[in-house]
Amino acid sequence: MTLTITWFLFLAAGLFSIGLAGVLIRRNALVMFMSIELMLNAANLTFVAVSKELGLIEGQVTALFVMVVAATEVTIGLAIIVAVFRTRSSANVDELAELKG
Amino acid sequence: MAEMIVFIIFAAVALIGAISMVAASNPVYSVIGLLATMFAIAVLYLMLDAHFVAAIQVIIYAGAVMTLFLFVIMLIGVDTSDVYGAQTLRQRVMTGIVALTFFASIALAGRTVWITGSDAFGKPNLNGTAEAVAGELFGTWTIVFLSTVMLLTIAAVGTIALAYFPQDGTQDEVPR
């Protein structure tokens, strides 16, 4: 059994599904953020795998841009979580129901 | 065959890390699980000839992002009240169904496209060194790259604004 790109794509799909389940089932905002990071990583793996399949470098460049966006999102998201925790003393998203800091 | 063995080992590490990230009740264990996944994905990038992206994956994700997560967890305290008690059995079952349906949908949609039968590992036509990536990044995608600079600047300014100008009466707690 030889290793083809298909294996990588199915692994990326599995990782994305696990991240989706994490976002749906967890209440802790930090763990939900980590699940989003996992989904971004799965998309990155798809980009790089298809880049290898097609012999194009653009997929890796796109993966770098996705990493930049992910880093930005983590920075802002964690700042929001800390700001929310200051007023609520909780990182549980179920307790945030009034759309007001 | 050796590639297959390496792939199976690190794919298993990635999947186990991801599942333990979702299932762990302690957020610190979630960070460790995601860290294992990040490293395994970096090894998979190496197998796909994306050397520079693999290095960036280890430096940015495993180094910076997960450390930032750990900092924030330690800052706001380890909250273990999530998994046990917050969810009903129905929510878990529904989540499992949604995730499995999603995976099956992706697999079915990509079945005809992905399984090409081509052995891309036989032809080393791609070499993702820093030089190759930078040539594309600073050649074709210069404008996009510069706009990411603006994006990062805006993110930094927004983070400082969130940290230093709270909207309620807690100004006295903020160091000036």
Side-chain angles (χ1 to χ4, degrees):
Chain A
M1 198 154 48
T2 58
L3 181 61
T4 59
I5 297 296
T6 311
W7 290 82
F8 288 90
L9 294 175
F10 274 105
L11 173 66
L15 289 176
F16 195 97
S17 302
I18 293 172
L20 179 73
V23 169
L24 288 177
I25 206 171
R26 293 305 297 261
R27 297 289 184 278
N28 192 328
L30 283 163
V31 182
M32 291 174 76
F33 252 102
M34 284 184 235
S35 301
I36 292 171
E37 290 301 308
L38 181 63
M39 288 197 279
L40 287 166
N41 264 276
N44 263 349
L45 185 59
T46 309
F47 273 123
V48 174
V50 176
S51 162
K52 172 74 175 169
E53 166 90 19
L54 299 177
L56 297 171
I57 201 79
E58 275 88 351
Q60 299 181 11
V61 176
T62 313
L64 284 179
F65 284 132
V66 172
M67 283 182 191
V68 171
V69 173
T72 313
E73 171 238 339
V74 162
T75 314
I76 292 289
L78 289 180
I80 290 174
I81 289 175
V82 171
V84 165
F85 184 82
R86 254 188 212 159
T87 57
R88 294 301 180 88
S89 300
S90 169
N92 191 326
V93 294
D94 272 354
E95 298 172 12
L96 305 175
E98 35 190 76
L99 200 65
K100 186 180 172 188
Chain B
M1 194 61 213
E3 287 171 335
M4 194 72 196
I5 294 169
V6 173
F7 173 80
I8 288 173
I9 290 173
F10 285 98
V13 170
L15 286 173
I16 290 170
I19 291 172
S20 68
M21 187 270 286
V22 172
S25 60
N26 192 331
V28 178
Y29 297 159
S30 295
V31 170
I32 303 299
L34 192 54
L35 203 57
T37 304
M38 299 289 185
F39 275 117
I41 288 178
V43 174
L44 296 179
Y45 286 163
L46 283 180
M47 295 179 68
L48 291 165
D49 285 342
H51 313 296
F52 182 64
V53 179
I56 294 296
Q57 167 89 7
V58 172
I59 294 170
I60 301 283
Y61 268 125
V65 171
M66 301 322 292
T67 312
L68 192 61
F69 267 111
L70 269 182
F71 278 162
V72 172
I73 287 173
M74 294 309 171
L75 184 64
I76 72 176
V78 179
D79 178 19
T80 58
S81 67
D82 182 5
V83 167
Y84 303 107
Q87 308 142 358
T88 61
L89 181 66
R90 184 166 152 269
Q91 284 172 333
R92 295 188 188 195
V93 172
M94 287 300 286
T95 302
I97 289 173
V98 167
L100 281 179
T101 310
F102 193 80
F103 177 75
S105 309
I106 299 178
L108 276 178
R111 190 170 52 99
T112 54
V113 187
W114 291 352
I115 303 176
T116 55
S118 73
D119 187 10
F121 291 95
K123 45 182 198 298
N125 52 0
L126 186 70
N127 203 1
T129 59
E131 187 183 0
V133 175
E136 192 72 25
L137 197 63
F138 296 114
T140 314
W141 303 101
T142 312
I143 301 295
V144 185
F145 180 74
L146 291 178
S147 57
T148 62
V149 174
M150 186 177 287
L151 183 72
L152 285 171
T153 311
I154 293 170
V157 172
T159 308
I160 293 169
L162 274 172
Y164 273 82
F165 304 113
Q167 298 297 314
D168 55 345
T170 59
Q171 267 92 351
D172 291 337
E173 300 172 8
V174 180
R176 299 275 177 183

